[in-house]
Amino acid sequence: MIVEILCVGTEILLGNIVNTNAKFLSEELANLGLSVFFQTVVGDNPERLESALDIALNRSDIVITTGGLGPTQDDLTKEIIAKAMGKKLVENAKAKEMLEERLHSFRLVITENNYKQAFLPEGATPLYNNHGTAPGAIVENNGKRVIMLPGPPSEMTLMFKESVLPYLKTLSDDVIVSRTVKMIGIGESTMASMADDLINSENPTVAPYAKPFESQLRVTAKAKSEAEALGLIEPMVDKIKERFEDYIYSYDVDESLEAAVVKLLKANKLHIACAESCTGGMLASTIINVPGSSDIINESFVTYSNEAKEKRLGVPHDILEKYGAVSEEVASKMAEGVALVSAADIGIGITGIAGPDGGTKDKPVGLVYIGLYYKGNTVVKKLTRKGNRLTIRQGTVMTALDMIRRAVG
Amino acid sequence: MIVEILCVGTEILLGNIVNTNAKFLSEELANLGLSVFFQTVVGDNPERLESALDIALNRSDIVITTGGLGPTQDDLTKEIIAKAMGKKLVENAKAKEMLEERLHSFRLVITENNYKQAFLPEGATPLYNNHGTAPGAIVENNGKRVIMLPGPPSEMTLMFKESVLPYLKTLSDDVIVSRTVKMIGIGESTMASMADDLINSENPTVAPYAKPFESQLRVTAKAKSEAEALGLIEPMVDKIKERFEDYIYSYDVDESLEAAVVKLLKANKLHIACAESCTGGMLASTIINVPGSSDIINESFVTYSNEAKEKRLGVPHDILEKYGAVSEEVASKMAEGVALVSAADIGIGITGIAGPDGGTKDKPVGLVYIGLYYKGNTVVKKLTRKGNRLTIRQGTVMTALDMIRRAVG
């Protein structure tokens, strides 16, 4: 079945916002084994919306729209969808109920205008909006389907997961199940060439994905039941595990590297402390973004100046003088020092040149040392990263998290 | 003139990447006063690309394509564009020169295959690729124009700014000049209603924009010369300044709030130190992302545990006991303590409940206190933020930066 994504919103055409809705829907639909051949964005203009909708219905089986359901524009979009699908716009009793419940939960007084949101194309199935007020809807006619979703991503993604996903699954006799293997420390092209034979597999399929600073393999099986699909997936995941074990940090598509690291430290009852120079608190902040990180981190230091490195972490003055702040020796002393002063099991010390200025021939922009102290040993990793100040710092944080995972795991 | 953006790339349709190219181009075109009525995404498939291109050329004057110029797909896309524009595909001498120069600069051996990248629709103007190898091109016929750009954002954005922007400007007798006024601490709807009369202006136009945690007004004038356009813009910017002075942190669209704050502190020769609990280093990291921030920050502390707040910052034990870690009193002591121990002019203390757990009826998730010490005075701001753990923390960082700006400015 061919699906087209049609996003309605002048703010996208003006470049005010990035179209994350299209990305989210495309990814979800790909996971279901449905083909998306086109994404279209059109503004809040009736003629152009009608024309875009006609084109989409002509070349696709299902059109998923986002946006244009707000209190000021809802009539318009819904009228046009109704027209394109050959339906009248009528008050939908179930949508009205949903709407009253939602407005009540927001303690809002219901105005006549609100009730316009309960009007849907005749025979449409309303979709509950757990994050806003306007219901979505599924409209079917002559084998074509339009699924109308709200524009705000928080409303749209929840409605998709709660209502649209189960609906789309009923359209196929097959069950599609995916499993994502997440890796760090290996580039996408290396991963893909190492998995070359697996990528040629037909059911399950294996597809490589590059994400910022990490790589993924997604295994997808199509079968008559979930159990059967899992039966196809598991041996393939085992093969991937055997080949890439060292790089794999999670088999859960929603688990971030930092969440995996926090879980690992929790399980091992370990505490960590960071001493950061060029990353300036980004590693600590990334760890602390994981709920419950207070179990594994009490404190951390941003020691940007040499003086702070000496005073807070006890990095010897002569080592800073002799090797310079950006050196293996200083990274090592920072890691040991922060573990000691914070009484942490693991100490991380990061020092580097994030640019754009401050680079020399010997110590260019992108040179970073990450020290890791654990169980009486200190290791230092030297990075030579490309990119801008932010991406050098972000990549450093990811490598530091990877080092922690490998040291403990 | 109507422009359509046509992005070619199966990876966008699979949801592997967000279409930032479309956003970039839309924003740039809006700044030029050009109307974008549709954005379309199509995969690397000849029939569907041809059909999308035909639809686009039918409803628009200029079609800007991105992607599909890579070494494996270039023939395909260029052939289809040539066909749609009624041109033959021929070797372009200037494109060949560009290509050889680029491959030479990458120290790459030139293969026969490389030379395919020098083939363009007959009569096309090649566009130099300062970041990659494949040239872009402008193809004109019968009043229609196709501008082919590469897919990687680093190549595409540079080529657009260097070659496409000057070209598009020649298509109009008018000069379009924009000025963006960036504000913090005021919501978009409040800003828009306060600027209601200005937003109705015709030349210059005034348009409100909501960005994460900030609001902007963009003033755009159309005139026969840049000087004339600036003459229209300046009185309007003055009006905005008068009305919103307190909220304005920059008149430079590319200047971030943190960059404005670092500039302000530098100009006043002030040093800052941060003590962060729930933000966990995010404020320090944000400040340190500004090049040259070493002039204004020597060190900072992540004091996540109560013990760290006592030990590093000297927050009195009985205050922590009496008021709890998330309190006005503790934020105030953290700010004063960090300024003292770091010998900084400004001290910031942040403590709050970022969730998802840990909230109570009295102290719900989203409750954050930000203390600011400066010149012997301490002020504390109480926030009750909505959102998830990350957005609560990000919003807190923006408010802290705003407080610094207001305290010093």
Side-chain angles (χ1 to χ4, degrees):
Chain A
M1 232 164 344
I2 311 303
V3 188
E4 176 150 349
I5 296 166
L6 178 60
C7 300
V8 185
T10 302
E11 68 281 12
I12 308 174
L13 293 181
L14 287 171
N16 294 345
I17 56 168
V18 188
N19 192 356
T20 55
N21 282 349
K23 183 208 182 287
F24 169 85
L25 289 171
S26 290
E27 197 166 20
E28 292 285 332
L29 294 165
N31 284 346
L32 284 171
L34 295 169
S35 300
V36 176
F37 286 165
F38 298 94
Q39 295 172 354
T40 306
V41 179
V42 63
D44 304 306
N45 171 287
E47 289 78 30
R48 291 194 286 274
L49 174 56
E50 188 172 350
S51 134
L53 193 60
D54 284 343
I55 291 170
L57 282 167
N58 187 42
R59 64 191 177 187
S60 310
D61 306 301
I62 303 177
V63 179
I64 302 185
T65 69
T66 68
L69 300 182
T72 53
Q73 315 136 330
D74 56 347
D75 283 343
L76 189 70
T77 308
K78 286 190 294 193
E79 241 166 54
I80 288 163
I81 290 174
K83 190 176 162 196
M85 293 294 280
K87 304 268 188 183
K88 275 194 294 186
L89 204 59
V90 295
E91 190 175 78
N92 183 300
K94 202 162 165 217
K96 192 177 169 187
E97 235 174 73
M98 287 178 177
L99 188 65
E100 284 172 343
E101 206 240 276
R102 292 306 293 158
L103 290 166
H104 186 76
S105 82
F106 286 129
R107 289 156 212 273
L108 292 172
V109 180
I110 305 178
T111 64
E112 270 315 300
N113 208 40
N114 289 141
Y115 282 112
K116 290 192 181 166
Q117 298 193 327
F119 276 73
L120 292 178
E122 206 168 9
T125 309
L127 305 174
Y128 190 72
N129 190 337
N130 234 322
H131 243 300
T133 57
I138 299 173
V139 191
E140 301 185 16
N141 203 11
N142 293 327
K144 298 280 180 179
R145 296 171 167 91
V146 177
I147 302 176
M148 295 158 42
L149 301 177
S154 59
E155 299 179 25
M156 191 280 292
T157 54
L158 196 66
M159 192 181 285
F160 184 87
K161 286 186 177 175
E162 288 180 348
S163 308
V164 182
L165 206 55
Y167 170 76
L168 292 174
K169 282 182 179 169
T170 65
L171 299 183
S172 165
D173 287 340
D174 292 322
V175 173
I176 307 260
V177 180
S178 281
R179 196 79 168 277
T180 299
V181 183
K182 303 179 87 176
M183 305 184 205
I184 176 85
I186 183 169
E188 193 211 1
S189 57
T190 311
M191 177 189 74
S193 71
M194 277 173 68
D196 204 26
D197 53 326
L198 309 181
I199 289 168
N200 286 323
S201 151
E202 287 208 350
N203 193 20
T205 58
V206 178
Y209 292 93
K211 301 272 167 174
F213 313 110
E214 60 176 275
S215 301
Q216 303 182 351
L217 283 176
R218 187 190 293 154
V219 184
T220 306
K222 190 184 264 196
K224 290 290 160 210
S225 71
E226 187 165 340
E228 199 188 317
L230 284 172
L232 292 167
I233 285 179
E234 275 157 21
M236 183 58 87
V237 169
D238 286 344
K239 273 189 208 167
I240 294 170
K241 187 178 176 182
E242 207 173 286
R243 215 171 286 185
F244 293 98
E245 189 154 27
D246 214 28
Y247 303 104
I248 298 170
Y249 74 82
S250 185
Y251 297 92
D252 173 358
V253 68
D254 292 325
E255 187 173 54
S256 65
L257 178 58
E258 53 270 27
V261 166
V262 168
K263 193 168 76 180
L264 185 68
L265 297 190
K266 261 190 194 176
N268 287 278
K269 297 195 193 315
L270 295 172
H271 271 80
I272 191 167
C274 315
E276 301 181 64
S277 192
C278 65
T279 48
M282 194 189 274
L283 175 58
S285 175
T286 302
I287 292 171
I288 286 174
N289 203 48
V290 181
S293 51
S294 54
D295 287 350
I296 62 123
I297 188 164
N298 289 323
E299 64 171 343
S300 276
F301 296 82
V302 178
T303 51
Y304 207 38
S305 70
N306 281 1
E307 203 191 325
K309 292 180 183 76
E310 287 182 40
K311 196 167 162 186
R312 302 297 166 209
L313 313 169
V315 178
H317 185 77
D318 59 331
I319 285 196
L320 277 161
E321 285 283 305
K322 188 168 169 193
Y323 300 102
V326 178
S327 62
E328 191 183 322
E329 290 76 9
V330 168
S332 156
K333 290 293 174 199
M334 286 172 74
E336 292 164 9
V338 77
L340 186 70
V341 299
S342 304
D345 306 293
I346 302 170
I348 300 287
I350 299 177
T351 178
I353 299 159
D357 307 315
T360 63
K361 209 186 156 216
D362 286 344
K363 296 188 176 182
V365 168
L367 175 69
V368 180
Y369 292 94
I370 306 175
L372 181 147
Y373 168 88
Y374 179 48
K375 283 191 179 167
N377 292 316
T378 307
V379 291
V380 178
K381 185 159 183 163
K382 177 184 175 178
L383 311 179
T384 45
R385 296 203 66 90
K386 292 207 190 310
N388 63 31
R389 187 172 173 90
L390 183 61
T391 58
I392 288 170
R393 298 169 71 229
Q394 287 169 333
T396 299
V397 165
M398 292 297 274
T399 302
L401 290 169
D402 188 28
M403 286 172 71
I404 301 164
R405 182 184 73 81
R406 286 166 189 267
V408 176
Chain B
M1 232 165 340
I2 310 302
V3 188
E4 176 149 350
I5 296 166
L6 178 60
C7 301
V8 185
T10 302
E11 69 281 12
I12 307 173
L13 293 182
L14 288 171
N16 294 343
I17 56 168
V18 188
N19 192 356
T20 55
N21 281 350
K23 182 207 182 288
F24 169 85
L25 290 171
S26 290
E27 197 165 21
E28 291 285 332
L29 294 165
N31 284 346
L32 284 170
L34 295 169
S35 301
V36 176
F37 286 166
F38 299 94
Q39 295 172 355
T40 306
V41 179
V42 63
D44 304 306
N45 171 287
E47 289 78 31
R48 291 195 286 273
L49 174 56
E50 188 172 349
S51 133
L53 194 59
D54 285 343
I55 291 171
L57 282 167
N58 188 43
R59 63 191 178 188
S60 310
D61 305 302
I62 304 177
V63 179
I64 302 185
T65 69
T66 69
L69 301 181
T72 53
Q73 315 137 329
D74 55 346
D75 283 344
L76 188 70
T77 308
K78 285 190 295 194
E79 243 167 52
I80 288 164
I81 290 174
K83 191 177 159 194
M85 293 294 280
K87 304 270 188 181
K88 274 194 293 184
L89 204 61
V90 296
E91 188 175 80
N92 182 300
K94 201 163 166 217
K96 191 177 170 186
E97 236 176 72
M98 286 177 177
L99 189 65
E100 283 170 344
E101 206 240 278
R102 292 307 292 157
L103 291 166
H104 185 75
S105 82
F106 286 129
R107 290 158 212 272
L108 291 172
V109 180
I110 305 177
T111 64
E112 270 314 300
N113 207 39
N114 289 142
Y115 282 113
K116 291 191 181 166
Q117 299 193 325
F119 275 74
L120 292 178
E122 206 167 12
T125 308
L127 305 174
Y128 191 71
N129 189 337
N130 235 322
H131 243 300
T133 57
I138 299 173
V139 191
E140 302 184 16
N141 204 11
N142 291 328
K144 298 280 178 176
R145 295 171 168 92
V146 177
I147 303 176
M148 295 158 42
L149 302 176
S154 59
E155 299 179 25
M156 191 280 292
T157 54
L158 196 66
M159 192 181 283
F160 184 87
K161 286 187 176 173
E162 288 180 348
S163 307
V164 182
L165 206 56
Y167 170 76
L168 292 174
K169 283 182 177 168
T170 65
L171 299 183
S172 164
D173 286 341
D174 290 323
V175 174
I176 307 260
V177 180
S178 282
R179 196 78 167 279
T180 299
V181 184
K182 303 178 88 175
M183 305 183 205
I184 176 86
I186 182 168
E188 192 210 2
S189 56
T190 310
M191 176 189 75
S193 70
M194 279 174 68
D196 204 27
D197 53 326
L198 309 180
I199 288 168
N200 286 324
S201 150
E202 286 208 351
N203 192 19
T205 59
V206 178
Y209 292 93
K211 301 271 169 176
F213 313 110
E214 59 176 273
S215 302
Q216 304 181 351
L217 283 177
R218 189 190 291 152
V219 184
T220 307
K222 190 184 263 196
K224 291 288 162 212
S225 72
E226 187 166 338
E228 198 187 316
L230 284 172
L232 291 167
I233 284 180
E234 274 157 21
M236 182 59 86
V237 169
D238 286 345
K239 273 189 208 165
I240 294 171
K241 187 177 174 180
E242 207 174 286
R243 214 170 287 186
F244 294 98
E245 188 155 26
D246 214 28
Y247 303 105
I248 298 171
Y249 73 82
S250 185
Y251 298 91
D252 173 358
V253 68
D254 291 324
E255 188 173 54
S256 64
L257 176 58
E258 55 269 26
V261 166
V262 168
K263 193 168 76 181
L264 185 68
L265 297 190
K266 261 190 194 175
N268 287 278
K269 296 194 195 312
L270 294 173
H271 270 79
I272 190 167
C274 315
E276 300 180 63
S277 192
C278 64
T279 49
M282 194 188 272
L283 175 58
S285 176
T286 302
I287 292 172
I288 287 174
N289 203 48
V290 181
S293 50
S294 54
D295 287 350
I296 62 124
I297 187 164
N298 288 324
E299 64 172 342
S300 277
F301 295 83
V302 177
T303 51
Y304 207 39
S305 70
N306 280 0
E307 203 191 324
K309 291 180 184 77
E310 287 182 38
K311 196 167 161 186
R312 302 298 165 207
L313 314 169
V315 178
H317 184 78
D318 59 331
I319 285 195
L320 278 161
E321 284 284 305
K322 188 169 169 190
Y323 300 103
V326 179
S327 61
E328 191 183 322
E329 291 75 10
V330 168
S332 154
K333 290 292 173 198
M334 286 172 74
E336 291 163 10
V338 77
L340 186 70
V341 299
S342 303
D345 306 293
I346 302 169
I348 300 288
I350 299 177
T351 179
I353 300 160
D357 307 315
T360 62
K361 209 185 154 215
D362 286 346
K363 297 188 176 181
V365 169
L367 175 69
V368 180
Y369 293 95
I370 306 175
L372 180 147
Y373 167 87
Y374 179 48
K375 284 190 178 167
N377 292 317
T378 307
V379 291
V380 178
K381 186 159 183 161
K382 177 184 175 178
L383 312 179
T384 45
R385 296 204 66 90
K386 292 208 191 310
N388 63 30
R389 187 172 174 90
L390 183 61
T391 56
I392 288 170
R393 298 169 70 230
Q394 286 170 333
T396 299
V397 165
M398 292 297 275
T399 303
L401 289 168
D402 188 28
M403 287 172 70
I404 300 165
R405 183 183 73 80
R406 285 165 189 269
V408 176

